[in-house]
């Protein structure tokens, strides 16, 4: 099994059954390490050097977060800004993301049609999270899948379990 680091950022976790269900899955499986950024860095002071060293120990990464005011959560953005190091692009430097599998799990309270060119917001989720996608591409990560859970706050327990099951199947491919 691949050693997996889950970088999780949700500022209002107590209001998210969908995210809690996946977190419970990660915690129950020993090859997943869950890093809850809002729990670990409530003061927004990122230990960038420690985080960079941590990344080197994993075979794959999962970035899981909700859309917050049409973007990624502010602490996740700060984490990326401080942890991702341009020196990784220099020859001879260790790039802990290069060729590593990356999965992105995004939750949103809105409908899928709202996130389309014709929809309410006129932008897709991929466009909204493009900063993360571009960053991962620059560092030569292998983005395997972007899973989007629409209307996450309205899903029944059964629907949440089905979403979790689909995501686990994606991870096992």
């Amino acid at each position: 099994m691949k050693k997996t680091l889950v970088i999780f950022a949700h500022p209002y976790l107590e209001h998210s059954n969908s995210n809690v269900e996946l977190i419970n899955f990660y915690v129950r499986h020993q090859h997943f390490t869950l890093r809850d950024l809002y729990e670990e860095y409530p003061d927004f002071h990122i230990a960038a050097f420690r985080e960079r060293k941590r990344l080197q120990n994993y075979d794959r990464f999962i970035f899981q977060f909700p859309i917050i005011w049409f973007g990624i959560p502010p602490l996740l953005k700060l984490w990326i800004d401080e942890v991702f190091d341009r020196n990784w692009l220099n020859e001879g430097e260790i790039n802990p993301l290069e060729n590593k599998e990356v999965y992105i799990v995004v939750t949103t309270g809105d409908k899928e049609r709202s996130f389309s060119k014709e929809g309410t917001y006129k932008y897709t989720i991929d466009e909204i999270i493009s900063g993360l996608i571009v960053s991962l591409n620059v560092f030569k990560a292998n983005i395997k899948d972007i899973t989007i859970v629409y209307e996450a706050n309205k899903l029944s327990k059964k629907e949440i379990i089905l979403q979790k099951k689909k995501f686990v199947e994606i991870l096992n491919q």
Side-chain angles (χ1 to χ4, degrees):
M1 231 2 134
K2 293 180 182 172
K3 193 172 176 189
T4 303
L5 178 62
V6 180
I7 300 154
F8 177 74
H10 197 312
Y12 312 109
L13 181 57
E14 64 276 10
H15 301 293
S16 178
N17 294 334
S18 299
N19 282 285
V20 168
E21 188 68 33
L22 266 176
I23 286 173
N24 289 336
F25 167 78
Y26 302 139
V27 171
R28 286 192 306 268
H29 293 81
Q30 65 185 11
H31 55 278
F32 288 92
T33 301
L34 175 68
R35 304 313 294 177
D36 181 342
L37 296 183
Y38 279 90
E39 186 175 300
E40 197 163 333
Y41 297 113
D43 58 1
F44 280 57
H45 293 288
I46 309 291
F49 180 77
R50 182 181 74 202
E51 293 291 333
R52 287 184 198 117
K53 281 185 69 172
R54 179 182 289 150
L55 292 176
Q56 295 176 25
N57 298 319
Y58 292 90
D59 305 312
R60 82 176 158 188
F61 303 96
I62 298 170
F63 288 85
Q64 183 177 334
F65 55 90
I67 294 298
I68 301 287
W69 201 239
F70 309 107
I72 65 175
L75 185 54
L76 178 56
K77 173 67 171 112
L78 179 65
W79 186 91
I80 292 165
D81 289 348
E82 293 193 10
V83 174
F84 285 17
D85 188 345
R86 300 269 316 164
N87 287 331
W88 294 344
L89 301 174
N90 296 334
E91 196 170 320
E93 291 292 323
I94 295 172
N95 176 351
L97 299 174
E98 188 170 4
N99 299 319
K100 301 279 179 84
E101 291 181 5
V102 174
Y103 296 82
I104 301 171
V105 180
V106 180
T107 58
T108 179
D110 280 314
K111 296 173 173 54
E112 184 173 0
R113 71 175 173 264
S114 295
F115 293 98
S116 68
K117 295 295 181 192
E118 302 76 32
T120 306
Y121 308 123
K122 310 292 186 218
Y123 289 90
T124 65
I125 295 290
D126 283 7
E127 290 171 320
I128 290 170
I129 67 169
S130 62
L132 173 60
I133 293 169
V134 170
S135 296
L136 291 168
N137 285 332
V138 164
F139 290 107
K140 301 177 184 160
N142 180 8
I143 300 173
K144 300 291 278 182
D145 185 74
I146 299 173
T147 297
I148 304 166
V149 181
Y150 295 98
E151 297 184 273
N153 56 338
K154 296 176 185 163
L155 297 178
S156 69
K157 181 77 169 169
K158 185 177 180 180
E159 291 168 320
I160 292 170
I161 291 169
L162 287 173
Q163 286 285 343
K164 178 180 75 172
K165 198 173 181 182
K166 277 198 295 188
F167 181 63
V168 171
E169 287 171 8
I170 290 168
L171 286 177
N172 291 328
Q173 292 177 353

